[in-house]
């Protein structure tokens, strides 16, 4: 940090197991990736090359190297995985990841049909060589999965070998764990986290209001995904109570000082 400020929430240190910020690279150039790393590397835990952007990204190898040189894991989006599976080219996808020294993989079925059994088998197979994120939830806003099924699928995929499960929202934040207007399906989240540790989950939350909701609900070290690069520092300030949305939520004291008296003493006179 550039300077010292007392009584901030305690953030986990990199490499983090909880409190992850998963950034969504939607087609950055090498130079943009370099700038992103220079400004935000302390707060980036993993980078996803969104959906199928890696296929059409120029200088892909150089860009991946930018992230990897900064000890930031990078991986291909779940839609690219689905595109390969749809064409029965899973072996080619595995080789692609090895060619680029990619060690993380997302296993999803948000668009294609993939049976639970087949998906779990793929997770089990890939987890022998890769750090697996599975993703649960449909990209179709009309496909509403009941809470009990979310819980069952998440539990099965963790058992199959997924390190963490991503709760679907897309880059828009209007499907999966959110309603079409972006509102959090709070009842769904309550039921999921009542039975599964939120440390095992990554909540896609591209909109600021969604990020605020999850941080207030689960604390500074909640795992958040689909954060656009320009918002990574902003999200970190939300986590630390350094933005008006969470300033009073995460003011913490190590002694017996009372927040009300602190606010009173720091309020300017009329």
């Amino acid at each position: 940090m550039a300077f010292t400020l007392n009584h901030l929430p305690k953030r986990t240190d990199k490499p983090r197991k909880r409190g992850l910020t998963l950034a969504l690279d939607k087609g950055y150039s090498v130079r943009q990736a370099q700038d992103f790393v220079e400004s935000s590397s302390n707060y980036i835990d993993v980078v996803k090359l969104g959906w199928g952007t890696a296929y059409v990204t120029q200088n892909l190898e150089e860009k991946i190297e930018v992230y990897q040189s900064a000890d930031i894991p990078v991986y291909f989006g779940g839609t690219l995985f689905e595109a390969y599976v749809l064409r029965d080219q899973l072996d080619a996808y595995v080789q692609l990841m090895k060619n680029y020294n990619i060690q993380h993989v997302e296993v999803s079925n948000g668009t294609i049909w993939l049976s639970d059994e087949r998906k779990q088998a793929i997770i089990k197979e890939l987890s022998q060589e890769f750090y697996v994120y599975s993703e649960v939830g449909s990209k179709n806003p009309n496909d509403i999965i009941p809470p009990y099924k979310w819980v069952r699928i998440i539990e099965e995929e963790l058992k199959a070998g997924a390190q963490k499960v991503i709760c679907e929202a897309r880059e828009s934040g209007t499907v999966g764990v959110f309603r079409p207007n972006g509102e959090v399906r709070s009842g769904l989240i309550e039921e999921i986290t009542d039975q599964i540790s939120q440390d095992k989950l990554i909540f896609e939350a591209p909109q600021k209001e969604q990020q605020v909701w999850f941080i207030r609900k689960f604390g500074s070290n909640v795992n958040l995904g689909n954060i656009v690069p320009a918002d990574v520092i902003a999200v970190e300030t939300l986590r630390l109570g350094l933005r008006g949305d969470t300033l009073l939520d995460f003011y913490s004291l190590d002694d017996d000082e009372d927040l009300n008296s602190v606010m009173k003493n720091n309020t300017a006179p009329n």
Side-chain angles (χ1 to χ4, degrees):
M1 301 298 176
F3 40 81
T4 301
L5 185 62
N6 295 331
H7 309 307
L8 292 177
K10 291 180 173 61
R11 285 284 278 127
T12 50
D13 297 321
K14 293 184 68 175
R16 298 182 180 93
K17 297 297 184 182
R18 51 191 293 268
L20 303 178
T21 294
L22 190 159
L24 180 65
D25 178 331
K26 298 188 284 187
Y28 263 12
S29 68
V30 173
R31 185 172 301 170
Q32 286 175 307
Q34 290 169 337
D35 289 342
F36 179 36
V37 167
E38 181 181 352
S39 67
S40 308
S41 60
N42 288 344
Y43 318 113
I44 310 164
D45 296 291
V46 60
V47 170
K48 178 197 295 191
L49 305 182
W51 51 99
T53 58
Y55 188 84
V56 296
T57 294
Q58 298 177 178
N59 304 309
L60 177 62
E61 186 172 1
E62 291 87 340
K63 184 170 79 167
I64 290 174
E65 177 62 25
V66 169
Y67 292 127
Q68 292 176 338
S69 294
D71 293 324
I72 299 171
V74 58
Y75 72 93
F76 301 131
T79 301
L80 188 63
F81 163 83
E82 293 184 35
Y84 271 83
V85 170
L86 184 64
R87 293 163 174 80
D88 196 26
Q89 291 183 267
L90 181 58
D91 289 344
Y93 188 69
V94 169
Q95 188 58 52
L96 176 70
M97 292 188 290
K98 291 180 178 179
N99 290 345
Y100 285 98
N101 196 29
I102 300 286
Q103 298 176 340
H104 288 56
V105 60
E106 181 176 311
V107 177
S108 69
N109 58 343
T111 303
I112 67 171
W113 184 86
L114 192 64
S115 71
D116 292 346
E117 294 75 17
R118 175 60 175 149
K119 189 180 180 188
Q120 291 162 29
I122 292 174
I123 291 170
K124 184 175 182 179
E125 177 184 350
L126 294 182
S127 66
Q128 305 304 309
E129 296 186 73
F130 300 94
Y131 190 101
V132 176
Y133 295 133
S134 68
E135 185 176 65
V136 175
S138 174
K139 289 178 167 57
N140 183 346
N142 297 317
D143 188 4
I144 305 299
I145 302 174
Y148 79 88
K149 191 171 182 180
W150 277 83
V151 171
R152 177 179 60 78
I153 293 172
I154 292 171
E155 288 177 336
E156 290 173 346
E157 294 183 3
L158 288 170
K159 185 177 180 181
Q163 296 295 318
K164 293 190 187 296
V165 174
I166 299 171
C167 296
E168 174 72 76
R170 301 199 74 172
E171 62 160 333
S172 61
T174 56
V175 300
V177 294
F178 300 107
R179 296 186 173 89
N181 65 357
E183 180 184 356
V184 180
R185 295 177 61 194
S186 57
L188 170 62
I189 299 300
E190 290 279 2
E191 186 151 349
I192 292 173
T193 56
D194 183 57
Q195 301 180 61
I196 298 168
S197 169
Q198 54 99 1
D199 289 344
K200 288 289 188 180
L201 306 171
I202 298 175
F203 301 105
E204 292 188 338
Q207 300 180 25
K208 187 188 80 167
E209 293 77 11
Q210 298 166 349
Q211 297 155 10
V212 170
W213 191 92
F214 280 109
I215 291 170
R216 283 178 170 170
K217 176 70 174 175
F218 297 115
S220 299
N221 292 308
V222 64
N223 302 315
L224 297 177
N226 274 14
I227 307 301
V228 297
D231 288 345
V232 165
I233 287 180
V235 167
E236 192 64 24
T237 62
L238 288 173
R239 292 182 184 276
L240 293 173
L242 295 175
R243 195 168 182 176
D245 307 84
T246 58
L247 179 63
L248 300 182
D249 295 278
F250 294 105
Y251 180 92
S252 63
L253 294 172
D254 296 325
D255 50 34
D256 296 328
E257 193 174 5
D258 181 75
L259 175 57
N260 291 327
S261 64
V262 171
M263 292 179 63
K264 182 178 178 180
N265 292 336
N266 285 280
T267 300
N270 294 329

